[in-house]
Amino acid sequence: MALLPSMKPASGRGCDNWQGPGPYLDLGEAPITELAAELKLGSGLDTARSIFEWLLAHIRYTAYSPSDKGALQALRMRQGDCTEFAHLATALARAAGLPARTVGGYVLDHDAIVKPGDYHDWAELWVDGRWLILDAQRREFDADAQAYIRFRYYSKHGDGTLGSHHRWRTLGQLQVAWQ
């Protein structure tokens, strides 16, 4: 895996799990590392904003696809669904030295009935001691974390309780409430 020479390991809140290679990130590929080098700016927040703006300007949203294609495919084709946006954002952030993770779940701005078809992926970047939501497909930078309900983290250490199955059938009603 090629990383930028100025990368320093992050610390705190489990960041070690969110650096280096991971599923669908293609970190050893030159196009990923070269673009990350161009987008890396002085601070973590500036780098995160640079990645977000590049994705908005260069990646076109396509309809949902049932297969994950990965960061390199999204970069080469300049298109993808929410999953490709999230993988590419995560890959660029990690290659630029920011711990990052691809997350799957739901985005609820208010009361809603959750349907399996509403499932969504986004990226979270460790910036200034906190996880910052970068959701380029929905055009959200530093979005309200309470609106994002996490069901899955893509990880080389396993994907959590849902495993690699992030599409499922509901057999009743799901209710989520903040008290």
Side-chain angles (χ1 to χ4, degrees), residues 2-129:
L3 298 176
L4 300 181
S6 61
M7 279 187 65
K8 294 180 192 158
S11 60
R13 300 203 55 186
C15 288
D16 292 345
N17 292 337
W18 308 111
Q19 299 178 91
Y24 306 106
L25 300 183
D26 306 308
L27 284 183
E29 301 292 334
I32 299 288
T33 56
E34 290 167 5
L35 179 57
E38 291 175 30
L39 298 175
K40 183 177 174 83
L41 299 177
S43 73
L45 185 59
D46 290 340
T47 299
R49 171 76 65 189
S50 176
I51 292 167
F52 175 73
E53 290 173 357
W54 190 92
L55 290 168
L56 292 182
H58 295 94
I59 305 297
R60 182 177 63 84
Y61 177 71
T62 59
Y64 163 76
S65 172
S67 62
D68 295 337
K69 296 173 186 69
L72 186 59
Q73 178 77 4
L75 180 57
R76 286 187 174 146
M77 300 303 293
R78 301 291 173 116
Q79 66 181 17
D81 66 8
C82 64
T83 305
E84 280 67 54
F85 273 85
H87 288 320
L88 185 52
T90 300
L92 292 170
R94 286 189 187 185
L98 294 175
R101 58 194 183 191
T102 300
V103 184
Y106 290 92
V107 182
L108 301 173
D109 297 322
H110 47 76
D111 291 344
I113 296 173
V114 177
K115 299 179 293 255
D118 296 332
Y119 192 84
H120 182 62
D121 289 325
W122 62 91
E124 294 181 350
L125 286 58
W126 184 257
V127 176
D128 297 332

Side-chain angles (χ1 to χ4, degrees), residues 111 146 175-179:
D111 291 344
Q146 290 189 11
Q175 269 191 321
V176 177
W178 285 276
Q179 300 285 331

Side-chain angles (χ1 to χ4, degrees), residues 1 16-23 94 153-159:
M1 173 185 73
D16 292 345
N17 292 337
W18 308 111
Q19 299 178 91
R94 286 189 187 185
Y153 294 101
Y154 289 77
S155 169
K156 64 184 174 186
H157 304 290
D159 292 327

Side-chain angles (χ1 to χ4, degrees), residues 143-165:
D144 177 9
Q146 290 189 11
Y148 284 74
I149 301 171
R150 293 146 188 85
F151 273 52
R152 174 186 189 206
Y153 294 101
Y154 289 77
S155 169
K156 64 184 174 186
H157 304 290
D159 292 327
T161 58
L162 294 179
S164 62
H165 308 285

